[in-house]
Amino acid sequence: MFVVLGASGHTGHVVASNLLARGQKVRVVGRSADRLKSLAAKGAEISVADATDAPALTKALKGADAAYVLIPPELTGSNYRAFQDRVSDAIAASVENAGVKNVVSLSSIGADKSSGTGPVVGLYNLEQKLNQIDGANVLHLRAGYFMENTLPQVAVIRMMGSMAGPVRPDLKLSMIATRDIGDAAADALVRQEFRGKQTKELLGQRDIDYLEVASIIGKAIGKPSLGYVLAPDDQLRAAMVQMGMSANFVGLILEMAGALNSGYMKALEPRTAENTTPTSFETFVEEEFAPAYREQAAA
């Protein structure tokens, strides 16, 4: 039995779908049964539990040979780091109490640092808590910069005519599609070749900067001269709060961007066949970004 937390989210849904396609027995966990219906239709068992509820998570994890765990996003909360710590406490307690022997956790590049990386500090803490569980084999997948992080640029392009953000335009980022993280996690769960406590970086198909990102998007949406602007923090803070994020969460995102810009937060592994994933940014734009842009334009 495989248990997948956050199964209605970007990576969890892929993990569960991948395992089900392989004929595995899967229990999917999320806050809403409705959002798990598509996985139930594929044969998954549903368990409803809040990510901060250790007793409910323990019940969901009972009988699991292996589990995929993560901290879900909470973009509107007033104290995201406190929320992350409540979730990581609940996950670690439930893994230990349920006696799960093999765990794959969603982490991030930069999770080697205990401070100064915004929301990634919460993943550092999750790693540390899981590493303290005796007898559990744990693999932390330290993923690169999500390609999906570019999707809010749909609205920015329509408002400004260019892309804008807090990351340096010439900074090479290990951009990865979340589907590739889900596939890698499912593969690790099935193989169960990890022992003790291990980390593995997932670096995407190649390193890419926002100037190239803008060029690829521009060609795909019929704006070949599309550019990217490094915007001041104050301007970005106001815009992101207007988009519905809490001031607290925005502050953490800007701290993470600063850590990336300075090189404080970066990949530690050299690129290899093992940590390179298949989906190119061009494919992501064709299949995800451009349709989202056209949909908003039509609306």
Side-chain angles (χ1 to χ4, degrees), residues 217-251:
I217 289 173
K219 286 171 189 164
I221 64 172
K223 295 181 178 290
S225 60
L226 184 71
Y228 172 83
V229 177
L230 176 62
D233 279 3
D234 288 348
Q235 185 181 333
L236 286 168
R237 188 175 280 107
M240 291 164 82
V241 168
Q242 196 173 4
M243 288 165 70
M245 300 178 200
S246 71
N248 172 264
F249 186 77
V250 171

Side-chain angles (χ1 to χ4, degrees), residues 4 6-20 39 178-184 186:
V4 179
S8 60
H10 280 302
T11 64
H13 188 87
V14 175
V15 174
S17 297
N18 189 310
L19 292 171
L20 289 165
L39 292 168
T178 53
R179 71 181 92 164
D180 290 350
I181 300 169
D183 286 342

Side-chain angles (χ1 to χ4, degrees), residues 9 13 16 56 59 76 87 106 110-112 120 126 151 161 167-169 172 175 186 213 215 228 232 234 238 287 295:
H13 188 87
K59 186 178 174 185
T76 58
V87 173
L106 175 60
D112 56 297
V120 178
L126 174 63
L151 286 171
V167 177
R168 280 183 12 230
K172 293 285 186 186
M175 282 202 187
V213 164
S215 174
Y228 172 83
D234 288 348
E287 296 180 0
E295 189 180 316

Side-chain angles (χ1 to χ4, degrees), residues 29-271:
V29 186
R31 280 178 285 195
S32 161
D34 276 351
R35 294 187 64 194
L36 299 171
K37 277 182 181 173
S38 65
L39 292 168
K42 295 177 184 177
E45 178 188 326
I46 288 179
S47 182
V48 176
D50 187 272
T52 61
D53 186 341
L57 289 183
T58 300
K59 186 178 174 185
L61 288 167
K62 279 288 184 195
D65 302 303
Y68 176 67
V69 305
L70 52 74
I71 299 177
E74 178 84 1
L75 312 188
T76 58
S78 61
N79 191 336
Y80 183 60
R81 284 284 303 102
F83 167 77
Q84 285 181 302
D85 286 341
R86 289 198 305 276
V87 173
S88 57
D89 283 344
I91 288 172
S94 60
V95 165
E96 187 162 24
N97 293 338
V100 183
K101 292 302 177 193
N102 299 290
V103 178
V104 174
S105 82
L106 175 60
S107 189
S108 170
I109 283 168
D112 56 297
K113 304 286 196 298
S114 62
S115 64
T117 58
V120 178
V121 173
L123 302 178
Y124 167 87
N125 289 337
L126 174 63
E127 287 193 10
Q128 298 305 309
K129 291 168 189 178
L130 290 172
N131 287 349
Q132 288 166 16
I133 301 172
D134 289 338
N137 300 310
V138 184
L139 175 65
H140 305 293
L141 293 179
R142 290 181 176 173
Y145 188 94
F146 288 6
M147 291 180 185
E148 283 78 2
N149 289 344
T150 64
L151 286 171
Q153 297 288 339
V154 166
V156 177
I157 293 166
R158 290 189 53 72
M159 282 190 300
M160 292 179 52
S162 73
M163 296 177 67
V167 177
R168 280 183 12 230
D170 62 340
L171 179 67
K172 293 285 186 186
L173 295 165
S174 306
M175 282 202 187
I176 187 167
T178 53
R179 71 181 92 164
D180 290 350
I181 300 169
D183 286 342
D187 201 49
L189 286 168
V190 171
R191 291 176 182 271
Q192 291 181 24
E193 293 173 345
F194 53 95
R195 292 291 177 269
K197 311 303 190 280
Q198 297 181 16
T199 62
K200 178 184 179 182
E201 292 185 348
L202 296 174
L203 303 182
Q205 187 257 349
R206 71 184 192 275
D207 291 353
I208 181 171
D209 62 35
Y210 260 100
L211 294 174
E212 188 178 359
V213 164
S215 174
I216 293 165
I217 289 173
K219 286 171 189 164
I221 64 172
K223 295 181 178 290
S225 60
L226 184 71
Y228 172 83
V229 177
L230 176 62
D233 279 3
D234 288 348
Q235 185 181 333
L236 286 168
R237 188 175 280 107
M240 291 164 82
V241 168
Q242 196 173 4
M243 288 165 70
M245 300 178 200
S246 71
N248 172 264
F249 186 77
V250 171
L252 292 170
I253 292 298
L254 293 175
E255 179 178 89
M256 181 179 74
L260 287 166
N261 287 339
S262 69
Y264 175 66
M265 177 177 161
K266 62 184 177 183
L268 302 178
E269 297 176 15
R271 182 175 288 281

